[in-house]
Amino acid sequence: MKIKPQAAIIIVIAIFVVGIVAANLGGIWKTQSTKVPVKYRDEKLAEVYNPADIRGSYSFSEISSLFKIPLKDLADAFGLSEGEAANFKCKDLETKYAGSQYEIGTGSVKMFTAYYLGLPYTPSEETYLPGAALQVLKEKGKMTKEQLEYVSKHLLPAKQ
Amino acid sequence: MNNKKRSAAALRRIVQIAVFALVFFITVSKWLAEKGISIPFASQASLHAVCPFGGVETLYQLVMTGMFVQKVHSSSFILAIISAVTALLFGAVFCGYICPFGAFQEWIGRLGRKLFPKIYNRAVPAKLDKALRYIRYIVLVMVVYNTAATAKLVFQNADPFYALFNFFTNEVAVSAYIMLGVVTVLSLVVERPWCKYLCPYGALLGLFNKIRIFKLRRSKSTCINCKKCDKVCPMNVEVSGKEVISDLQCISCHKCTSEVSCPVKDTVTISVRKEGAAHEN
């Protein structure tokens, strides 16, 4: 069976179009975050949202609502006023903490959320929190001993 | 070039321009949306959402945790599957027709061909060229491994494709701008330098050339050995020396075929089986 290049590319484009339309109709074509994190695979936590799936586009108020963490606690932990925090996106932390000794970003929010709720979370790389976060976690969080130990060693100095 | 040949080449150019324009429109509409200006009917997809390589990068994370790597969405994964299906049929046709960064290098190359006609696409010594072409496999392994280890799109900081389409935003790392500059300048003397030497996705799709269903074939019996196919190949594959062109570097641009450049009818063709094979069996 022989085929011309023109026919080949038309078939290729058709495969792309049909594939995308089918994925769309099937509800699996997502080009943006659905703002609903996946749940843990562990049976015991099967109904609990996994903070590891928090995206940079999540605002603090969305995290507050999804994970039932008071917005004030998130704001205090990351050095924001409550008013600022409502529409503040996780990815904006990188700009806020630009020039710091260590990166503070979406990974920091994932870790803070998990540790605040006492949920399992293993940072995929060295992750740091602002100094103020430790106080919030100690007062309101449900950190395990190991989590407390990790955070204590991964804090930005208080002024940053 | 006769009309039929012209139409095959024109179709390819139209597809390349259309995809390039679409991707550019997507990134601009996303950027405008972040500034509070939304374009009616335009989605707010990011560049990552329409790049199939994101689907490859996230594969490990998806299997292990059920989550996508940061910035990657299901659309990338679906596009990666679709690209794999097309590659299984026609080889790395995504590189030859769809990839807007490949098209960008080709367009710069047209200028280079005019400026440096004597050395264009022959500037790198053969031995060095051969060695350099292994680098993209190293890049592929490094990117997949590091993305799996960090759950972040580590490649973004060196990705000239991302820099090209986001040059007007403040999201591009300096290293990516530098890479884009280097690739652009090199494109003036080497055709598709990124594809040849560094592209991890091209490295992966190129593997499909070994198992593709519709193969590029050269008929020895009708070939007049004019080597036109070798001259037009952007990836410097020696088409004239093979009966089945399954080279890992082939991007299935079809420039070598009888429908585009080969002057003899039915000599370089795309087919499932060798002509007459059914009779032989």
Side-chain angles (χ1 to χ4, degrees):
Chain A
M1 185 184 172
K2 215 184 266 184
I3 192 168
K4 289 185 173 182
Q6 295 96 315
I9 188 57
I10 288 167
I11 292 170
V12 167
I13 291 169
I15 292 171
F16 268 92
V17 172
V18 170
I20 292 167
V21 170
N24 223 328
L25 292 175
I28 53 169
W29 176 263
K30 302 272 185 282
T31 57
Q32 295 173 63
S33 171
T34 53
K35 304 292 172 78
V36 181
V38 298
K39 292 176 178 174
Y40 279 95
R41 280 183 169 181
D42 187 324
E43 264 183 40
K44 287 179 193 165
L45 298 167
E47 290 308 310
V48 180
Y49 288 133
N50 190 340
D53 198 32
I54 288 174
R55 300 297 184 113
S57 59
Y58 282 30
S59 69
F60 275 25
S61 56
E62 285 163 345
I63 293 167
S64 168
S65 150
L66 285 164
F67 292 93
K68 312 290 178 226
I69 297 174
L71 186 61
K72 186 177 184 318
D73 291 349
L74 282 164
D76 289 347
F78 289 94
L80 299 161
S81 71
E82 224 174 316
E84 277 178 312
N87 293 317
F88 193 85
K89 289 181 178 173
C90 296
K91 64 180 175 185
D92 296 335
L93 283 170
E94 285 174 28
T95 312
K96 179 173 167 58
Y97 286 93
S100 297
Q101 193 177 352
Y102 303 107
E103 184 183 306
I104 300 286
T106 307
S108 310
V109 182
K110 291 177 184 184
M111 186 167 83
F112 175 83
T113 305
Y115 290 6
Y116 186 97
L117 299 169
L119 295 170
Y121 175 75
T122 310
S124 50
E125 57 182 355
E126 293 289 293
T127 305
Y128 287 81
L129 289 175
L134 179 61
Q135 201 54 36
V136 178
L137 285 171
K138 273 183 175 172
E139 286 173 12
K140 313 253 181 90
K142 298 173 186 169
M143 281 189 294
T144 62
K145 207 174 157 188
E146 291 77 25
Q147 289 174 339
L148 173 62
E149 201 174 313
Y150 184 89
V151 173
S152 304
K153 289 177 184 167
H154 292 80
L155 287 173
L156 281 190
K159 277 188 178 177
Q160 284 186 314
Chain B
M1 199 186 272
N2 64 32
N3 282 346
K4 276 188 180 172
K5 285 184 191 291
R6 232 177 252 135
S7 76
L11 179 63
R12 179 165 177 268
R13 200 162 301 146
I14 289 167
V15 172
Q16 286 182 310
I17 292 170
V19 175
F20 190 94
L22 177 67
V23 172
F24 190 67
F25 175 73
I26 287 170
T27 49
V28 169
S29 66
K30 164 84 174 164
W31 176 70
L32 287 174
E34 285 184 349
K35 303 254 171 232
I37 308 162
S38 65
I39 300 174
F41 309 111
S43 92
Q44 290 180 17
S46 68
L47 189 60
H48 299 296
V50 294
C51 177
F53 188 54
V56 177
E57 290 173 285
T58 201
L59 192 58
Y60 175 83
Q61 172 94 346
L62 189 64
V63 171
M64 299 309 286
T65 67
M67 290 180 276
F68 292 103
V69 168
Q70 254 185 55
K71 300 180 183 182
V72 172
H73 304 287
S74 67
S75 54
S76 307
F77 189 65
I78 291 161
L79 286 173
I81 293 170
I82 295 172
S83 296
V85 170
T86 62
L88 196 57
L89 286 171
F90 300 108
V93 70
F94 177 87
C95 308
Y97 281 83
I98 313 279
C99 177
F101 195 63
F104 169 75
Q105 292 170 85
E106 271 188 36
W107 297 333
I108 299 292
R110 288 166 76 93
L111 177 65
R113 203 186 295 269
K114 283 180 184 159
L115 292 174
F116 311 105
K118 285 187 182 163
I119 60 161
Y120 183 74
N121 216 18
R122 293 191 289 273
V124 184
K127 271 191 179 176
L128 176 63
D129 176 72
K130 196 177 173 188
L132 290 174
R133 292 193 191 219
Y134 288 104
I135 296 176
R136 62 183 195 158
Y137 299 99
I138 298 168
V139 175
L140 174 64
V141 171
M142 278 172 60
V143 170
V144 171
Y145 174 78
N146 284 313
T147 307
T150 64
K152 278 184 168 184
L153 281 182
V154 288
F155 186 51
Q156 184 183 311
N157 289 344
D159 186 355
F161 167 66
Y162 188 78
L164 175 67
F165 285 96
N166 282 281
F167 69 90
F168 48 88
T169 70
N170 58 358
E171 289 189 15
V172 181
V174 175
S175 48
Y177 279 128
I178 292 170
M179 185 60 85
L180 175 62
V182 170
V183 172
T184 305
V185 171
L186 277 178
S187 294
L188 290 169
V189 285
V190 179
E191 191 153 9
R192 288 181 172 246
W194 175 258
C195 312
K196 274 180 187 147
Y197 306 127
L198 292 167
C199 181
Y201 195 43
L204 182 67
L205 290 179
L207 299 174
F208 284 88
N209 288 334
K210 296 288 178 196
I211 55 165
R212 58 190 279 185
I213 294 167
F214 288 91
K215 297 186 191 306
L216 264 176
R217 297 177 195 277
R218 184 187 66 96
S219 165
K220 253 169 91 176
S221 58
T222 54
C223 178
I224 56 170
N225 286 315
C226 67
K227 300 197 185 294
K228 181 107 192 251
C229 48
D230 299 346
K231 285 175 201 151
V232 296
C233 179
M235 303 299 280
N236 307 99
V237 175
E238 196 195 1
V239 180
S240 66
K242 300 177 170 79
E243 284 191 62
V244 176
I245 298 96
S246 59
D247 195 290
L248 296 172
Q249 289 269 332
C250 173
I251 55 169
S252 295
C253 64
H254 303 144
K255 279 187 177 178
C256 57
T257 60
S258 292
E259 283 82 4
V260 181
S261 295
C262 173
V264 187
K265 199 181 169 198
D266 290 338
T267 296
V268 182
T269 56
I270 310 163
S271 64
V272 177
R273 285 198 285 185
K274 190 179 171 183
E275 280 292 281
H279 304 296
E280 284 163 20
N281 294 336

